[in-house]
Amino acid sequence: SFDVVALGTQGGLSGDNLTSYLIRTEGDARYIALDAGSTLPGIAKGIEKGSFPDVTPEKAAPLTPQGYIFREQINAYFISHPHLDHVAGLILGSPDDKKKTIYTLADSANTLHNHYFNWKSWPNFSDAGNGERLGTYRINSPRVGQTFTLGVTPMRGVIYPLSHNGTASSMLLISARGESFAYFGDTGADAVERSKNLDAIWRVLGPLIQQKALKGMIIETSYDDAQPDNKLLGHLTPKLLLSELTQLEKYSGGAGSLKDLPIVISHIKPTLVAGKDPQALIQQQLSAGNSLGVKFMFMQQGDKAVF
Ligand SMILES: Nc1ncnc2c1ncn2[C@@H]1O[C@@H]2COP(=O)(O)O[C@H]2[C@H]1O
């Protein structure tokens, strides 16, 4: 089974609750961070909620429990794409982090080197690029579709490309002991993006669902159904996610094959409009259209779930 802790769940606007999830396999203390929008604030919330029961002040000493989880328990990072709301926590925490690998698409690695770790936006904590290289992070771009080991953990990963309104984004398929979990970065629907990236992924996940090996997934639903198609900016709505999942069902053995599949909804965009509750709306729209019978989950910052 996989342990997941949500460090940040929202898709923008404020800095303290941006997309980031920790995942580890049962019996191993080390996590992989799936994106790093908010890290330290999410760890603090997780401690408050009892989501890190194995970390005591005695064990963490001389660090705080928050520091110990950040430095010692996060073993490596996966960055789905280099937008600020997915990397801010990584950049801000870098001066106090220890040597780790960042796995990301080659295109995202270039952005990290050229636009963040460049001594202008931020000191170069990476192992390549301009000026002195402080070397905290080794930025590693495994080839798409190729299996690699995730840090020093029992988990292996395979990266698949996603389309996000012109930005290259990606999904990480994590596997350990014959079980798998899929983490999606920002993505639009194939029909809107004029892409086949999601279709290609559904063809990979279908057989895993048939074998009952896929324990769950995290995928975005940034906007509610009222968002017009020309303002989706590379994101999903309940209607679009449900139609994509209908494709997945076809590759998973047909009607009923997705029943009870846990799907965590991430990256909901907060609103500054008074009286609007995007999460409640998205929850209601997903539930109203859920003839597939999947188990939609709305993890909040600091929550832990076992898959
Ligand atoms: N063309 C655009 N016009 C207005 N806002 C945009 C445009 N492209 C991106 N954005 C905003 O910038 C954000 C970057 O992160 P997201 O993709 O999560 O969501 C995006 C939108 O909120």
Side-chain angles (χ1 to χ4, degrees), residues 11 83 85 164-165 186 223 233 235 267 269:
H83 276 168
D85 56 323
H164 175 39
N165 195 34
D186 293 4
Y223 297 113
L233 305 168
H235 292 292
H267 208 266
K269 291 244 171 227

Side-chain angles (χ1 to χ4, degrees), residues 114-259:
N114 296 332
H115 300 289
Y116 294 106
F117 293 126
N118 59 12
W119 290 103
K120 290 184 176 154
S121 308
W122 199 251
N124 186 0
F125 285 96
S126 81
D127 60 341
N130 283 332
E132 189 191 345
R133 297 153 182 181
L134 297 170
T136 304
Y137 300 121
R138 198 166 73 90
I139 304 184
N140 184 324
S141 297
R143 249 181 297 156
V144 155
Q146 197 170 68
T147 303
F148 59 98
T149 300
L150 284 162
V152 187
T153 75
M155 296 181 280
R156 279 164 302 127
V158 183
I159 296 177
Y160 294 90
L162 292 171
S163 312
H164 175 39
N165 195 34
T167 296
S169 179
S170 58
M171 180 275 256
L172 181 68
L173 183 60
I174 301 141
S175 305
R177 301 190 191 97
E179 297 180 336
S180 300
F181 190 92
Y183 173 75
F184 290 75
D186 293 4
T187 180
D190 277 358
V192 181
E193 296 279 318
R194 299 177 198 282
S195 164
K196 291 192 166 151
N197 284 336
L198 281 175
D199 188 69
I201 288 171
W202 304 142
R203 286 170 192 265
V204 171
L205 298 188
L208 294 177
I209 290 170
Q210 275 184 308
Q211 296 154 29
K212 307 217 177 300
L214 190 75
K215 305 315 258 180
M217 64 168 99
I218 297 174
I219 190 165
E220 71 137 275
T221 304
S222 293
Y223 297 113
D224 71 67
D225 282 332
Q227 191 77 359
D229 270 12
N230 62 356
K231 293 209 169 111
L232 289 171
L233 305 168
H235 292 292
L236 294 172
T237 58
K239 203 172 3 154
L240 290 169
L241 176 60
L242 287 163
S243 108
E244 286 292 346
L245 292 175
T246 305
Q247 283 304 112
L248 173 60
E249 188 188 52
K250 287 186 195 155
Y251 300 129
S252 305
S257 54
L258 300 191
K259 201 171 169 313

Side-chain angles (χ1 to χ4, degrees), residues 32-47:
I32 298 297
L34 304 169
D35 282 328
S38 302
T39 49
L40 290 166
I43 293 171
K45 195 64 149 200
I47 292 170

